[in-house]
Amino acid sequence: MKTLFKIITLAVTTMSITALSYAKETELDRVAVIVNSGVVLESEVTDLITNIKQQAEKNNQTLPRDKALRVQVIDKLIDDTLVMEIGSRMGIQVSDAQLDDTITNMARENNLTLEQFRQAIVNDNLDYEKYRENIRKELISGEVRRNSVRRRIYISPQEIANLLTVMKEQTNSDIEYRLGHILIEFPPEPSQEDMNAAKVRAEKVIALLNDGSDFARIAIASSGGAKALEGGDLGWKNINEMPTLFSEIIEGKDKGTVLGPIRTGLGFSIVKVVDIRGRQVVEVEEVQARHILIEPSIILSEAKAEETLKELREQIISGEAEFADLAKEFSDGPTSVKGGDLGWADPRSYDPAFSAALAALKVDEVSQPFRSSFGWHIAKLTGRRTLDATQQMNENKAHQLLYQRKFGMESARWIKELRDEAYIEILAQDSE
C-alpha cells in the first residue's frame, strides 16, 4: 500500500512539473523608457494614449496617427519622470489629506459632490485610484516647477514701470485672444543647417494650416511646445500676458489668423488666433471698519468675553459711549490704540468669520458679538467703496503678467536642460 502511495505521489509531482514547464509566460508590463535611475512603463504610455483618445472622441477632435501620438506621449512622460525625480530629491510630498482637499475642491468647482465627481471619473472609463495618484503627481510636479523656475526669473522695477506705461496707453487692453501655438523645435546645439530645416518645416505647417488643416491635430503630432498634447491651446491672454514676440504681431489681428514662423531661442513658433473676446472689468470692494477684540484666557471664559461685548454694544447703541473710546479701553490687539480702526481693506484679507460679519452689516451698523480664530469681536462698518484698481494692485498685476510671460519660456529652457543632462533610452517596441 505504501509503495502504491509513493508511485501515485511521484506521478502527480511529475505531471505538475511537466505542466509548469509548458506554461506560457505572461508579460505583466515592460519598460518603455529608461530615464536616469527611473523608468517609464509601457502601461503608463498606453494609459495616457487611451485617455487622450477618449477625450478627443468626447470633444469630437481628430488626432494624428498612433506613431506620432506615441512620440508626444513618451516625451511628456520623460519630462514628468525627470521632474518627479527632482521632487523626490527635494523631499516634496503631498499627503492624502492634501490630495483629498484638492479633489474635493475640484468636485466643488464642477458643482458636484465628491461621490458624484468620483462616479463621473468612472463613467469616463478611467480608473479612479490611478486618476487620484495622477493628481498627486501633478501637485508635486507643479511645486517642483515653481520652486525650480522661480529662482531663474528676475523682474526689475524698470520692467514693471515700462509695462504699467504700456498698460495705461493701450486702448484695447480689454480684449483677450485665445491662442494656439506650434513650436518647431531646434535640436540641441543646432547648426545653421538645422535652423534652416526647422524653418522649412514651419513654413510647410503654415501652408497646411492655411489650406484648412486641423491646428490641434498638427500641434499634437508636430509641436515641441509644452501644450502640444492639449492641441497647442495657450488659453485666453491679453496683449500684456503674451510673450513680446507674439504680442507685437497679434494685436489687431482677426479670428482665424495664422502667424509665423516666429524665430525664438527654442525654434520657430506658429501662432493662430483661435478666438477673440472682450475682457470684463474687475471691480474691487473695500470696507472700512472698527472692532473691539476680547481674547478668552484661563481667567476669562468664552461666555464672559461674549457677555462683556454685549454690554459694550448696548452702551454704543444707546449713545452712552463712543465705539472708539471703548475700543481704546477694552480691546486687545494692536488696533486698540487707534480706537479699533482697521482702515480700508479688502474684506477677503480678514478671518472668514470677521469677513462674513462685515458683509452682513450696513454702514454705521454695529454687529452682535461673534467668534473668530482670534477671539470674540464686535465690529462697526464705517464705510464701503468700490475701486476699479489701486496703484499697488496695478503694480502687482504688472509683476504677475511679467512673471507669467517669463515663466513659460524659462520652464521650457529648464526642462530642456534637464533632458540634455539626463540619461534617456527609449526602448524599441516588440514587433508582433
Side-chain angles (χ1 to χ4, degrees):
M1 184 69 180
K2 288 183 179 179
T3 303
L4 179 60
F5 178 75
K6 288 180 179 177
I7 293 172
I8 293 172
T9 302
L10 179 62
V12 171
T13 304
T14 304
M15 290 171 62
S16 300
I17 293 172
T18 303
L20 286 172
S21 66
Y22 284 100
K24 184 179 179 181
E25 293 184 2
T26 302
E27 183 180 69
L28 299 178
D29 209 338
R30 59 182 290 271
V31 175
V33 189
I34 299 172
V35 185
N36 290 332
S37 59
V39 297
V40 174
L41 297 176
E42 185 63 35
S43 60
E44 295 178 84
V45 177
T46 302
D47 285 348
L48 184 51
I49 289 175
T50 300
N51 291 345
I52 291 170
K53 286 184 174 181
Q54 288 175 350
Q55 290 301 313
E57 183 178 356
K58 183 187 295 185
N59 299 326
N60 198 26
Q61 172 66 59
T62 56
L63 290 172
R65 289 180 299 175
D66 286 355
K67 184 176 180 181
L69 182 59
R70 180 182 173 85
V71 169
Q72 291 284 32
V73 164
I74 286 177
D75 274 348
K76 182 186 187 307
L77 292 174
I78 289 172
D79 292 349
D80 291 348
T81 302
L82 290 170
V83 172
M84 292 300 291
E85 282 183 356
I86 295 176
S88 179
R89 292 202 297 269
M90 294 171 70
I92 296 176
Q93 297 179 337
V94 173
S95 68
D96 286 342
Q98 290 173 300
L99 184 59
D100 289 340
D101 286 344
T102 299
I103 295 175
T104 300
N105 289 335
M106 292 169 64
R108 189 179 297 118
E109 288 171 2
N110 287 278
N111 297 317
L112 299 173
T113 65
L114 187 58
E115 182 55 36
Q116 288 171 332
F117 186 76
R118 181 183 183 281
Q119 190 58 49
I121 299 300
V122 173
N123 291 344
D124 281 342
N125 297 318
L126 299 175
D127 184 300
Y128 181 73
E129 290 306 317
K130 284 186 178 180
Y131 178 87
R132 193 171 181 274
E133 288 308 307
N134 284 336
I135 296 297
R136 192 195 303 270
K137 289 180 181 179
E138 287 295 329
L139 291 173
I140 294 173
S141 175
E143 187 65 20
V144 172
R145 285 176 184 271
R146 284 189 293 273
N147 288 340
S148 301
V149 177
R150 182 169 49 219
R151 68 190 65 172
R152 299 163 63 106
I153 297 174
Y154 172 71
I155 299 171
S156 69
Q158 189 59 50
E159 286 179 288
I160 293 175
N162 291 343
L163 181 53
L164 283 171
T165 300
V166 171
M167 289 167 64
K168 289 177 182 177
E169 292 176 350
Q170 282 182 333
T171 57
N172 64 342
S173 60
D174 59 338
I175 297 176
E176 288 185 325
Y177 300 83
R178 187 173 184 181
L179 301 181
H181 176 234
I182 294 173
L183 173 64
I184 305 300
E185 272 188 311
F186 293 149
E189 300 180 5
S191 64
Q192 187 60 49
E193 185 178 347
D194 292 329
M195 290 186 280
N196 291 340
K199 186 174 183 180
V200 169
R201 285 181 59 205
E203 289 171 343
K204 287 182 179 178
V205 168
I206 291 173
L208 288 171
L209 294 171
N210 287 332
D211 287 338
S213 294
D214 184 79
F215 188 98
R217 181 179 182 183
I218 293 178
I220 294 172
S222 306
S223 178
K227 298 291 186 179
L229 288 175
E230 288 85 17
D233 186 2
L234 296 182
W236 291 98
K237 297 181 182 295
N238 65 29
I239 291 295
N240 298 313
E241 292 172 311
M242 302 175 194
T244 305
L245 288 173
F246 293 0
S247 63
E248 290 175 349
I249 62 171
I250 289 294
E251 187 175 359
K253 295 298 188 295
D254 295 330
K255 178 179 175 180
T257 303
V258 176
L259 302 160
I262 307 162
R263 168 74 181 273
T264 71
L266 299 173
F268 285 96
S269 287
I270 300 161
V271 181
K272 180 177 180 180
V273 182
V274 178
D275 205 355
I276 303 172
R277 71 180 180 189
R279 188 177 59 185
Q280 294 180 345
V281 176
V282 177
E283 294 183 331
V284 177
E285 183 185 70
E286 289 189 337
V287 293
Q288 188 180 45
R290 292 182 183 272
H291 78 132
I292 298 174
L293 167 66
I294 296 182
E295 299 171 350
S297 64
I298 297 175
I299 59 175
L300 181 66
S301 67
E302 296 275 343
K304 182 60 177 175
E306 182 180 8
E307 184 61 33
T308 299
L309 286 172
K310 285 182 179 179
E311 293 172 0
L312 296 179
R313 182 177 184 275
E314 285 300 321
Q315 293 181 44
I316 295 166
I317 298 299
S318 66
E320 294 177 29
E322 292 292 328
F323 195 107
D325 294 335
L326 294 179
K328 290 177 182 178
E329 183 177 354
F330 293 98
S331 185
D332 296 321
T335 62
S336 60
V337 295
K338 299 187 291 183
D341 185 15
L342 295 168
W344 288 101
D346 183 336
R348 294 172 298 181
S349 65
Y350 292 135
D351 179 277
F354 198 94
S355 179
L358 293 180
L361 295 177
K362 298 176 182 177
V363 175
D364 292 330
E365 186 178 1
V366 179
S367 73
Q368 294 288 345
F370 62 92
R371 185 69 160 87
S372 80
S373 59
F374 298 98
W376 283 91
H377 308 254
I378 55 172
K380 179 179 181 180
L381 182 66
T382 56
R384 194 189 298 275
R385 68 185 182 186
T386 301
L387 302 177
D388 289 339
T390 64
Q391 181 62 24
Q392 184 60 50
M393 287 175 58
N394 282 332
E395 290 178 2
N396 291 344
K397 182 178 179 181
H399 185 280
Q400 188 62 28
L401 292 173
L402 288 167
Y403 182 86
Q404 291 174 354
R405 182 184 294 178
K406 294 186 177 186
F407 186 90
M409 189 68 73
E410 285 301 323
S411 182
R413 288 197 179 102
W414 174 67
I415 284 290
K416 187 174 186 300
E417 289 169 11
L418 290 182
R419 292 185 70 127
D420 289 346
E421 295 169 2
Y423 173 77
I424 299 171
E425 182 182 352
I426 300 176
L427 304 181
Q429 285 182 280
D430 294 332
S431 57
E432 297 184 357

